[in-house]
Amino acid sequence: MRAGMNIGEIARRAGVSRSTVSYVLSGKRAVSATTRQRIQAVIDELGYRPNASARALKEGRTRTLGLVIPPANQRLTDMQLGFVASVVEAAARHDLDVLLSPSGGDHDRSFERIVTGRRVDGVVLMEIRLTDERVTRLATAGVPFVTIGRTADPHAMSWIDVDYATLISRCVHHLADLGHRQVALVNRSAELVAAGYGPSHRALAGFRTAVTERGLTGVDVCCGDDTPSGEACVAHLLAAHPEVTAVATINEAALPGMQRALSGAGLSVPGDFSVTGVAAQHWAEDFHPPLTAADVPMRQMGAEAVSLLLELIAAPGGPPRHRLYAPPISLRSSTGPVRPR
């Protein structure tokens, strides 16, 4: 079978809908002999073989995956939206639907329907806390699930995650190599940190470790996920700690505001002040100048989350699978040698 061939390609070549191809493969509905033969001819020509995951979804399944997202009253960040899009896109390649379900706040009933309603074959869970009741609930209910992020003790669950501790540490070492001695971490919001949001805690741990290793002075601040918060946060940082010459951040939604604050303070990037961090590639490229950053591979991570979930659905007793992403730092133009003030 040619790489990338899927049900959609079979449907296109046979001149039928994707669902008709799915019915022929699964036997869930009757299809006319003529149509079945036409589809089978294309399948034979392409050498298509449904994989174990697809075969496991043939009988008695909903052909729907659940994607549990943050509460609906919270505006999703661009990275969160990227993960949603990547999961939906990956599921479509397997001819699967995705049911979005908010959790937290006033949405516990929606999550509980996902767990108990047999509406989905498995769940992808986003925005993981170090201690996360949703993970415990899914595990107790026996629902196959994969998380984007991980708890403090993640060994018994399947997950994919970004290695924020390592990546922020690398950012600090990069700044130290450029001569910066006073650096800051712009984290996510204080509310997320207090709730035990995994990336925030791991980023802070990586920051503190690297600052200690390099003998730097480090300041860490929390910041809301929006432009005004980014501007206010960096303006306050500059006023309270004028000795700071560089920041690392995991808060990409605050980047435009951070840029505005630096410009308002008359600081050029990277001449007077360096900025680096962990962000989606297009956020990094939209920064002025383009941001030196570890680019989060959202599409790849969403696809892998779906792939791992299908493996769990096909073989429920299989061992947990883990994937920790640590992409290299893309050297762009927002970091430079420290300039004496």
Side-chain angles (χ1 to χ4, degrees):
M1 176 180 165
R2 192 171 77 233
M5 196 62 64
N6 55 29
I7 288 175
E9 179 69 6
I10 295 169
R12 187 185 68 79
R13 293 193 179 209
V16 299
S17 68
R18 291 167 61 99
S19 59
T20 301
V21 175
S22 179
Y23 296 149
V24 168
L25 293 172
S26 67
K28 289 178 68 174
R29 292 192 188 178
V31 176
S32 72
T34 302
T35 300
R36 181 182 294 277
Q37 289 168 2
R38 187 161 75 249
I39 292 171
Q40 190 60 53
V42 173
I43 289 173
D44 292 342
E45 176 190 350
L46 299 177
Y48 177 82
R49 296 292 182 272
N51 60 28
S53 301
R55 290 196 300 272
L57 290 166
K58 284 200 306 184
E59 299 295 340
R61 305 281 183 161
T62 66
R63 297 201 66 82
T64 302
L65 305 180
L67 177 58
V68 180
I69 61 176
N73 61 350
Q74 294 183 8
R75 183 172 58 86
L76 295 182
T77 68
D78 197 72
M79 189 176 295
Q80 290 168 342
L81 287 171
F83 281 128
V84 170
S86 67
V87 169
V88 171
E89 185 179 281
R93 289 197 293 269
H94 293 276
D95 198 30
L96 302 172
D97 296 323
V98 175
L99 176 63
L100 294 182
S101 173
S103 68
D106 299 325
H107 303 285
D108 289 340
R109 284 180 296 177
S110 174
F111 176 67
E112 193 61 24
R113 285 195 294 270
I114 285 283
V115 175
T116 62
R118 298 187 179 181
R119 302 166 72 185
V120 300
D121 299 319
V123 171
V124 176
L125 187 63
M126 293 174 50
E127 298 296 287
I128 305 302
R129 274 49 172 169
L130 295 175
T131 300
D132 202 310
E133 294 179 355
R134 301 169 303 167
V135 170
T136 304
R137 182 72 184 96
L138 287 167
T140 301
V143 177
F145 70 96
V146 171
T147 62
I148 299 178
R150 65 198 194 277
T151 61
D153 184 17
H155 306 293
M157 54 191 273
S158 290
W159 50 264
I160 61 172
D161 201 2
V162 174
D163 191 351
Y164 284 97
T166 293
L167 295 182
I168 287 296
S169 178
R170 287 178 185 170
C171 289
V172 172
H173 283 290
H174 170 64
L175 294 173
D177 290 343
L178 291 170
H180 295 275
R181 307 300 300 167
Q182 289 84 23
V183 299
L185 171 69
V186 176
N187 209 324
R188 300 284 295 277
S189 71
E191 292 78 13
L192 280 175
V193 173
Y197 180 58
S200 292
H201 284 260
R202 294 185 177 102
L204 181 56
F207 177 77
R208 288 175 172 170
T209 297
V211 163
T212 299
E213 288 175 351
R214 299 301 294 265
L216 310 181
T217 300
V219 178
D220 58 270
V221 294
C222 291
C223 180
D225 296 333
D226 54 64
T227 294
S229 295
E231 183 172 9
C233 174
V234 169
H236 180 267
L237 175 68
L238 294 174
H241 300 279
E243 72 281 2
V244 169
T245 59
V247 301
T249 186
I250 63 167
N251 195 331
E252 63 177 20
L255 280 169
M258 294 167 60
Q259 187 168 48
R260 190 179 298 172
L262 291 169
S263 177
L267 297 174
S268 66
V269 177
D272 301 310
F273 202 92
S274 289
V275 184
T276 183
V278 183
Q281 182 175 347
H282 73 273
W283 274 102
E285 292 176 346
D286 285 347
F287 196 76
H288 298 293
L291 186 72
T292 291
D295 302 333
V296 176
M298 292 181 297
R299 291 188 65 181
Q300 184 179 349
M301 292 176 69
E304 183 150 10
V306 170
S307 178
L308 287 182
L309 182 56
L310 293 181
E311 289 182 17
L312 288 176
I313 294 170
R321 298 279 302 281
H322 309 140
R323 175 67 188 276
L324 192 58
Y325 285 81
I329 292 178
S330 297
L331 297 176
R332 297 188 177 96
S333 308
S334 65
T335 53
V338 67
R339 178 185 294 178
R341 293 181 181 176

